[in-house]
Amino acid sequence: MSTMTMAKALNAGLRRALDANPKVLLFGEDIGKLGGVFRITEGLQKDFGEERVIDAPLAESGIIGTSFGMAMRGYRPVIEIQFDGFVYPGFDQIVSQVAKFHNRTNGRSSVPMVVRIPYGGGIGAIEHHSESPEAYFVHTAGLKVVTCSNPNDAYWMIQQAVASDDPVIFLEPKRRYHDKGEVVHESKPIALHQARIVRGGTDATLIAYGPMVKTCVEAATIAEEEGRSLEVIDLRSLSPIDMVTLTHSVRRTRRAVVVHEDVRTLGVGAEVAARLGEELFYLMESPVLRVTGHDLPYPNSRVESDFLPDVDRILDAVDRSLAY
Amino acid sequence: MSQPLQPWGGPPGATPHADAMTASDEMVQLLTPEGRRVEHPDFAFTGDDAEIAGLLREMVLARRLDLEGTSLQRQGELGLWPPLLGQEAAQIGSGRAVRDADMVFPTYREHGVAMLRGVPVGDMLALFRGTSMGDWDIDEHRFGQYQIIIGAQTLHATGYAMALQRDGLIGNPEPDRNAAVLVYHGDGASSQGDVNESYVFAASFQAPVVFFCMNNQWAISEPSTRQSRIPLYQRAWGYGFPGVRVDGNDVLAVKAVTDWAMERARQGQGPAFIEAFTYRMGAHTTSDDPTKYRLSEETEAWRRKDPIERVKTYLLDAGAIDDGWLSDLDAEADALGEHIRSTCRQLDSESLAHRFDVLFREPTAESEDDRDAHLSYLARFEPLSEESAR
């Protein structure tokens, strides 16, 4: 066991993945000597060489499309998209080519590739650097979409994603890159597409992922002081969604609030709310509420704190859920 | 007033790329439309007349395959067919420059190349009949799936070539160990971002990939001049690799030029660009109506440059084939036609439930539940249909 930041945990996980399989390649802009703009790949080119940790020309569709070609020949490219807002030039290759390949080859072939995307806001960045693009990928059949919220998950989930024979969109909450936590090297991790109960509770379930898990735990801690017991679930996998863990929790608490930075309309929260409604309608004491980014383009950084869900907005939604 | 481009397409003051092939402003031709062999300073067809007869045979069979496709669409057996009519030389000449170990990435029109790569005709037709997604065995035939998104395959080809590099399959002293990638795209695709990005990546990594631009003059209704103000092959210089324009209706020239480019790539000398100057004699697809946007005089002029007739003329004049040989070939084409028609009519689709089974290599409980729900919904109708049958 050791304590490290999420950034270091991802670096360590990638190093393990490169060690474990010579077919694993890292491909992205500035990931070589610089180690990526967030230093996630720091030192890896030095240790694994320029043929395996490859600085790419500055073209996202080119990176995704050529990685697809390498994956067709048995390589396992792990792509770094520099920032969330830069993935869109590569969107066609992801949704039209990568996502469909196993299906359109009638199961003959697959492209085992990982697209790492630092995502989310809260870092005071200029536009296109704080987006939450997850819903686009969750909406696309044929992709698996996961996101880590802490260093231990980061370390294990990136290795599991690289080992997956299906394409995985791997979302990294960039505002949590420098948060420290325990990484347990010794014990086996839970399955990649399994959700995790972060904190037990009985009055309502907070459902979050990525950057909002920490915020929800803070909200639950404050609520506890007010005598309310909130369960917090880290979804971890956005596609598929682990409904077993969710329904197990909400059967007990009978109230749920979904929290994400992404905008509300047709977001992951909408899907979770619909599925909980379909399965637990008669059991629930209140409708599933959503605390999300507003239906706006991501705003200028000086007002992003009003855009992003925070402890107060989460507790306000809990109040409304409990008062129902 | 701005200065004109230099004759080879470069900007004023620039010097041509070290590889003089780029500067060639001429179209490589080795067999004239009249069926006469001509010399070219840089390229030669080295095969004998028997090999040329083999190319003729394959062009004739490709044309028959194509005509059957169009007819089957007209009979309602196929939903759509993109004809290759007129592009037989460009397809067979380039396809014959590919070795077993090489990899090919097609558009959706390379039926002749697919035939050379041994793709079963039923697998090809199934895509257009709607009974499959076009799922021939890519690795067995070393021929990628048809690509509908214009130009997307150029990036896959470049990535595949980068994988060949990493596998140590270029530049080996034993030539049989080496491999390269041939990727087709059209004149319209030359405007796509993906295609231009593939040129950048191929040049940057010196990937063993040959871009075969099938300039058939028309991107549906738009002439190639809508895509480019300079001859397409001259663009290659700007990306850092040689470009050659070849008479795409001359199978000997296409074979010679593609041989050169593929061998160069196999030896580790990087990408090359071939512009096959040809003509789409038919419609873009069976849904298209070319009479709305181009003149019959133009089509007629290209008919006189037919890729098959010139080879026939040459071989007959050379005494390499005779009328008996040609009627045997006709009989072979008739047999192929019969095979295509009977194969097509037998093609059927697996059920929708199967699509869930091939969504992921590692299936999720979610997609399995979706499939089961779909199947149990369908199962509810079975007793009802039996009842109504009574």
Side-chain angles (χ1 to χ4, degrees), chain B residues 315-339:
Chain B
L315 287 171
L316 285 168
D317 289 353
I321 60 170
D322 56 19
D323 289 344
W325 189 93
L326 285 171
S327 60
D328 286 352
L329 181 56
D330 279 345
E332 188 184 1
D334 287 346
L336 174 67
E338 176 52 37
H339 170 66

Side-chain angles (χ1 to χ4, degrees), chain B residues 2-14 228-231 234-235 237:
Chain B
S2 64
Q3 287 180 279
L5 296 176
Q6 298 190 55
W8 47 273
S228 180
R229 289 288 299 272
I230 62 165
Q234 292 181 357
R235 283 186 176 175
W237 183 86

Side-chain angles (χ1 to χ4, degrees), chain B residues 14-33:
Chain B
T15 51
H17 190 267
D19 194 324
M21 224 50 81
T22 312
S24 167
D25 201 24
E26 291 174 4
M27 186 166 78
V28 179
Q29 189 181 70
L30 300 175
L31 183 66
T32 68

